[in-house]
């Protein structure tokens, strides 16, 4: 059983904005410290940013308008807590406390991810998809049921009929679709809107990739300030995550589909 949402779902729009702001921070500093919260809907977007990077509000507004349209945007930019910043002063250390469980993807999860991608290529609008054994549920905005039935004849499609979706119908918040992003993997935090020093980003990516490589569950825990996780230097875990994010094209691209791509 698995649920997947596409990049135009309001929660993923919030994730993408958060990711784009992190990308912006990496253009301002080589290794910025940043955490971003995004809440949007019904013409409004509220953003709180804690960071070491020098970011300008017009840059943030431009990101919101590009991804979500011309929402009325309220932005708070504050410096990151000094204790958190000082934790990284003499080399990379675990940037927060956390628990992490990476799980191998199942055939069912990969099947639904492909379905979500295929539908999104045809309908780049708000959508949610569920698979549970032989049962496939497709909720796709701005799509006629009869057209989707031609592609997925056995699916339950738009149970309430035609709908438009988007942020004028529903609210979105960053890190609210971790089930879609991670499948059976588990974390105590969120994947999006944070720099690579944060374990919520780097250790989650590391645990997920290791689970795919070994085809075994990976369970890890860390405390803020730890120099090693899973028996290896924390800096190596960060570099693994950095390469992964770079390969995808940045934090905004990562936010589109999460780890289950």
């Amino acid at each position: 059983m698995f649920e997947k949402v596409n990049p135009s779902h309001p929660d993923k729009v919030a994730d993408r904005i958060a990711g784009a702001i992190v990308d912006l921070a990496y253009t301002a500093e080589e290794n910025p410290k940043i955490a971003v919260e995004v809440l949007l809907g019904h013409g409004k977007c509220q953003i709180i940013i804690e960071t070491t990077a020098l970011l300008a509000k017009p840059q943030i507004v431009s990101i919101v308008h590009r991804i979500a349209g011309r929402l009325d945007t309220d932005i708070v930019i504050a410096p990151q807590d000094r204790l958190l910043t000082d934790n990284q002063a003499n080399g990379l250390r675990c940037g927060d406390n956390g628990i992490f469980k990476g799980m191998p993807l199942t055939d069912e999860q990969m099947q639904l991810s492909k379905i979500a991608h295929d539908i999104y290529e045809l309908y780049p609008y708000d959508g949610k998809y569920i698979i549970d054994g032989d049962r496939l549920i497709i909720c796709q905005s701005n799509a006629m049921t009869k057209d989707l039935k031609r592609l997925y004849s056995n699916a339950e499609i738009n149970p309430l009929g035609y709908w438009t979706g988007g942020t004028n119908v529903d609210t979105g918040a960053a890190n609210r679709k971790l089930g879609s992003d991670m499948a059976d993997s588990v974390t105590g935090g969120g994947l999006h809107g944070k720099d690579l020093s944060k374990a919520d980003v780097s250790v989650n990516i590391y645990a997920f990739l290791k689970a795919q490589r070994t085809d075994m569950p990976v369970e890890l825990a860390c405390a803020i300030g730890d120099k090693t996780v899973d028996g290896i230097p924390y800096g190596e875990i960060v570099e693994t995550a950095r390469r992964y994010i770079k390969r995808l094209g940045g934090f905004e691209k990562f936010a589109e589909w999460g780890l289950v791509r």
Side-chain angles (χ1 to χ4, degrees), residues 33-173:
K33 306 301 177 286
I34 186 168
V36 183
E37 299 292 344
V38 179
L39 174 67
L40 54 80
H42 306 283
K44 305 287 186 180
C45 181
Q46 296 180 314
I47 301 173
I48 298 177
I49 304 167
E50 300 167 350
T51 186
T52 60
L54 184 61
L55 304 180
K57 289 185 179 181
Q59 295 174 298
I60 309 303
V61 171
S62 178
I63 287 171
V64 172
H65 288 179
R66 174 174 61 81
I67 295 174
R70 301 191 69 82
L71 304 183
D72 181 13
T73 304
D74 178 43
I75 303 166
V76 175
I77 303 177
Q80 182 179 258
D81 179 82
R82 180 163 293 280
L83 286 175
L84 294 177
T85 302
D86 290 347
N87 177 52
Q88 308 289 339
N90 297 313
L92 280 171
R93 299 182 180 188
C94 188
D96 46 12
N97 306 300
I99 58 169
F100 312 91
K101 184 176 182 179
M103 291 292 292
L105 292 175
T106 66
D107 290 342
E108 183 179 65
Q109 290 159 356
M110 290 186 286
Q111 177 189 359
L112 185 64
S113 183
K114 184 179 186 307
I115 289 170
H117 278 268
D118 289 346
I119 294 175
Y120 193 63
E121 286 187 8
L122 297 173
Y123 302 97
Y125 315 107
D126 185 2
K128 178 186 289 187
Y129 323 98
I130 295 172
I131 193 167
D132 183 11
D134 293 332
R135 189 181 188 191
L136 175 63
I137 304 168
I138 297 173
C139 292
Q140 177 58 57
S141 67
N142 299 292
M144 300 299 293
T145 297
K146 61 181 179 63
D147 294 332
L148 286 171
K149 272 290 187 182
R150 294 192 188 102
L151 300 173
Y152 304 97
S153 59
N154 294 323
E156 301 169 42
I157 298 172
N158 292 339
L160 295 183
Y162 186 89
W163 60 293
T164 56
T167 61
N168 288 327
V169 174
D170 194 7
T171 60

